[in-house]
């Protein structure tokens, strides 16, 4: 749950799954009548039994809009995708693909949780993941509409991802 639109109330970021077309990112919130309503969703992956693994959400580039980062198919595509949550003048919301970067992951088959996440520090916001082969810890930031990654050290287990989340 994250306040994506700055109104003081959190929206719920979820991964919706469909048996024929895989998963997609969706955002839900409570409306004025206390009903849960979908605010935005991107397209389904398009492959059955495939999913995505959310890293987190924050204003990654300082433009005033919140970006949501996830790893598309952490076992197959291993691609970091960043979507911007964009409120429209009509009151609707759009999830706009901003950038993507290959060769990272944040989950292995059999794990009960998601590794890494988003590191929000005074000087930068970075997504912390592992390299696709799980040998390195990678920090990725959004700069001028592009994802820029850097190696922050060896992956030695979950503790190395947790350590990279510290400012």
């Amino acid at each position: 749950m994250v306040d994506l639109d700055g109104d003081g109330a959190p929206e719920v970021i979820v991964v919706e799954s469909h048996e024929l077309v895989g998963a997609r990112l969706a955002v839900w919130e409570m409306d004025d009548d206390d009903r849960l309503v979908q605010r935005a969703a991107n397209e389904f992956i398009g492959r059955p039994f495939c999913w995505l693994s959310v890293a987190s959400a924050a204003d990654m580039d300082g433009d005033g809009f919140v970006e949501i980062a996830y790893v598309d198919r952490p076992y197959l595509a291993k691609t970091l995708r960043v979507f911007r949550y964009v409120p429209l003048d009509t009151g609707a919301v759009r999830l706009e693909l901003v950038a993507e970067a290959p060769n990272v992951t944040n989950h292995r088959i059999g794990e009960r949780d998601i590794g890494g996440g988003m590191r929000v520090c005074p000087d930068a916001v970075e997504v912390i993941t592992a390299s696709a082969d799980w040998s390195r810890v990678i920090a990725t930031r959004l700069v001028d509409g592009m994802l820029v990654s850097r190696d922050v050290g060896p992956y030695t287990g979950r503790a190395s991802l947790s350590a990279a989340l510290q400012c």
Side-chain angles (χ1 to χ4, degrees), residues 59 118-126 141 150 164-167:
D59 182 357
M118 197 168 288
R119 177 185 127 127
V120 180
C121 300
D123 61 331
V125 176
E126 297 177 306
R141 55 174 80 178
R150 65 186 177 90
L165 288 171
Q166 304 304 309
C167 294

Side-chain angles (χ1 to χ4, degrees), residues 49-63:
F49 306 109
C50 288
W51 69 293
L52 54 94
S53 179
V54 176
S56 193
D59 182 357
M60 292 181 66
D61 58 1
D63 66 354

Side-chain angles (χ1 to χ4, degrees), residues 14-18 22-28 38 41 44 52:
V14 300
V15 177
E16 296 181 341
S17 181
H18 188 280
R24 72 176 177 180
L25 184 72
V27 176
W28 292 75
Q38 187 181 82
F44 284 100
L52 54 94

Side-chain angles (χ1 to χ4, degrees), residues 120-138:
V120 180
C121 300
D123 61 331
V125 176
E126 297 177 306
V127 179
I128 304 299
T129 59
S131 59
D133 66 358
W134 289 93
S135 66
R136 310 298 299 173
V137 175
I138 306 296

